[in-house]
Amino acid sequence: MKESVYSICGMCAVRCPIRVEVEDGKVTWVEGNSNDSGMGTAICAKAAASIPFQYDDQRPQRPMIRDGARGSGKWKQVSWDEAYDYITDKLKTIIAEHGPKSIMLTDRGGPFADLRKAFMKAIGTPNYINHDCTCGRNANHACKSTYGMGRTGFAYDLKNANHIVLFGRNITESFKVKEVKGFLKGVKNGAHVTYVDPRVTNTAGKATRYWQNKPGTDYALLLGITNYIVANKLYDEKFVKKWCLGLAELKKFLKPYTPEWAAEETGITSDEIKAFCHEVDADRPKVIFHIGWLYSRYKDTFYASRMLNILNALMGNTEQTGGLIYPKTPKHADSSGLKSLSADIPDVKEPRCDSCDSDWDWYDNGAGMLQLAYDAIDTGKPYPVKAYFVHRHNPLIALPDPEEQKRILDKLDLLVSVDVNYSETSWYADIILPESTFLERDTILRTDKGPKPGFSMRRKCVEPFYDSKPGWQIYVDLAERLGKGEYMPYKSIEDIWKYQLQDTDVKIEDFSATGMVKLCDSPIGTSDDNIKFGTKSGKIEFVNKTWEDKGIESFKPYESPEAPPEGSYRLLFGRKGYQTHGQSTNNPVLSQLLGSNKLLIHTDEAKKLGISDGDTVTVSNGSKVGSIEAQVTDFIHPEAVFMLHGFGTDVPAQERAFGKGLADNAFMKGKLKDWDKAGGGLALNETFVTVKPAA
Ligand SMILES: Nc1nc2c(c(=O)[nH]1)N[C@H]1C(S)=C(S)[C@@H](COP(=O)(O)OP(=O)(O)OC[C@H]3O[C@@H](n4cnc5c(=O)[nH]c(N)nc54)[C@H](O)[C@@H]3O)O[C@H]1N2
Ligand SMILES: Nc1nc2c(c(=O)[nH]1)N[C@H]1C(S)=C(S)[C@@H](COP(=O)(O)OP(=O)(O)OC[C@H]3O[C@@H](n4cnc5c(=O)[nH]c(N)nc54)[C@H](O)[C@@H]3O)O[C@H]1N2
Ligand code: SF4
Ligand SMILES: [Mo]
């Protein structure tokens, strides 16, 4: 019998709403959950590839304990009881010597992290951290320092925009399904799209204006743009007067940064810059400057991102159709929210190992700073960190310099990986706990913000194919064994759902029909009454005194990016539409589409080096050397080379991907320590490699 299960995709961290067809205990079809407005039924290739993934025998099938040196690939398969005993025995010893604060956990953040945060709080450690120092950290902190709220404090109303401005935001390949659908509707409706990237991408193909800037010069371009907009009053004077602080200081700071100056620095002509400024002036307030994501990997992208935030403010696009809209919460619908699973657990008084609550207290300590936690493992300061849980996170691919990381991880007494793959980090761990795939497990409820706020549910569609467990069960079991069961007293997922829903009028049955519950019947529209900023002044702060008191200047004078040393190129990276970071290259189906990554190099540079398209080339940075196929193209800036992220696995159990391509992060030597002290993001793009024909 065919049955529909409404659930939430888990093939990447976007977590789209889906409908899954199940027949005789097998998943036969996955599509978008069209009950969610803007979603429709179409989804991405990665989601479809979840079906063969469930049966993949190249993923961990039961718990495994290391039976040789770390990374040796020697494993002993064990029962769940043995695995739990192993972990709790080690943890008890570690806790006896160093206290519970010597335990840390990192994951991929997001709505389901609430359960892991509760586990950490229950066992008495403050050290929950997520991946964000390699993702949106600079952009997030830039938004906080201007608007007083995080990067996701606004939703972009792309489908109604007149102009969408994307600095390295490759929205059609590094996508979220709903967002890209909104973007394409905007394009169809005639929106202007300005796309800036040293590399031509699919998104450039959708743009009305494509600028190939010199890598690392976005801040200069933004200074030139803002200078011209401010000097010529091409902004919303009424909005700025009412809501923004620091215009005079901004104006003064921008003086030297004319479009002519920016042209010299970026390679984009001043006429083009000026034409763009007049165009956005005509298009506002329906203009969206995307505040950035992954382009924010340079030394100054906190400041570039701050300038994007300031430009949004100048457009007066807050809470405007076609602009930046507050995602409405349950509160807007007169409902309580989900109760946090941490709510009834006593606060942990210990300081954080990454010092985000002391030395770096202007940072958002919800996400923490993983690079500083690595320092703590390495140095034992501010205190020893001896046990590390890595959940749905793969630092040996996601953080730079795996060689240096392994040196540091070797100082741990316990490294636990909870994963669905033999990730590079699982392979280096002491123990692997296989989590059931998202098709095989329930998760805690999540809140959906938007015009119709509500909650949604990920449901188990089929029984686990291997001897795996859902994440919630793993942490509830471990809390119990560590004598903290009273804080996670759940016997079933229903117990957890009931706990989360206790302050609302919603019942578990309400999710059956569509997998989601909306808290209002008609969408909550935009209104000036909703405008509220999280800064001390309640305004958008071009000048932020609180941050200045911490030594973070509001306006940073521009410095040119370092020129690539003679014979070197700046290493750029990104992803493809049918790839999720490092976790798709061994997928039974996606591996066939992805094959190996290549090194994109400009035609003129390739000619100089005697490299032809398809040649094997040697790439190196210090002691790190590797070979890869060259793709010779006109579509990349001559100063840069590019490779897709997430390839080059060193895990032999990933048989389909092993030996294919190179890992970009392995060339980022020393980059664990190279990060932006203002924004907190790792400066991954400040990496240079030399390229030559393979011998
Ligand atoms: N050099 C370089 N570094 C980068 C990037 C880059 O482009 N280049 N990108 C950066 C960005 S933007 C990000 S967000 C990070 C991402 O870094 P990560 O969060 O580490 O990346 P993912 O591949 O999303 O997830 C990591 C792990 O989760 C596992 N996993 C997948 N599904 C499940 C599941 O259902 N349960 C469990 N328990 N595990 C699961 C995967 O097998 C994988 O091992 O990397 C960052 N680092
Ligand atoms: N299919 C797919 N979609 C995803 C993900 C995935 O793994 N797969 N991951 C999700 C995650 S976690 C994230 S963070 C987002 C990332 O989404 P995006 O931020 O759009 O990231 P990418 O496309 O990976 O890389 C950014 C682009 O920056 C360009 N770039 C490099 N240097 C510069 C520069 O100096 N200036 C400018 N303007 N551009 C530059 C690169 O050429 C690249 O095209 O994607 C999300 N969506
Ligand atoms: S973008 Fe694709 S893989 Fe990611 S959650 Fe959505 S449907 Fe799944
Ligand atoms: Mo990310």
Side-chain angles (χ1 to χ4, degrees), residues 230-270:
V230 169
N232 295 282
K233 297 215 165 144
L234 308 179
Y235 60 88
D236 185 334
E237 291 186 69
K238 213 170 119 198
F239 180 86
V240 172
K241 201 162 173 198
K242 182 165 178 197
W243 287 112
C244 304
L245 290 180
L247 181 68
E249 291 89 336
L250 175 70
K251 223 169 163 173
K252 189 168 158 226
F253 166 71
L254 289 170
K255 263 263 162 64
Y257 302 119
T258 60
E260 288 71 21
W261 168 86
E264 284 283 309
E265 189 62 27
T266 62
I268 313 300
T269 69
S270 58

Side-chain angles (χ1 to χ4, degrees), residues 9 11-12 14-16 43-44 46-47 175 177:
C9 182
M11 290 299 275
C12 84
V14 174
R15 307 175 186 95
C16 298
I43 39 160
C44 80
K46 298 174 283 170
F175 57 73
V177 171

Side-chain angles (χ1 to χ4, degrees), residues 387-454:
Y388 179 9
F389 282 80
V390 191
H391 182 107
R392 203 191 198 292
H393 188 201
N394 186 9
L396 287 178
I397 284 285
L399 275 189
D401 206 343
E403 214 182 334
E404 171 69 355
Q405 284 190 64
K406 286 179 181 174
R407 182 190 69 74
I408 296 170
L409 295 175
D410 281 345
K411 299 193 173 182
L412 293 166
D413 293 341
L414 177 66
L415 178 58
V416 182
S417 166
V418 186
D419 207 300
V420 295
N421 276 302
Y422 288 119
S423 76
E424 290 66 19
T425 311
S426 313
W427 203 247
Y428 204 69
D430 300 324
I431 178 160
I432 305 176
L433 300 180
E435 186 172 25
S436 308
T437 68
F438 77 90
L439 291 170
E440 305 167 322
R441 70 177 193 257
D442 299 297
T443 39
I444 66 171
L445 297 172
R446 78 163 174 204
T447 304
D448 295 325
K449 296 180 191 170
K452 281 195 196 175

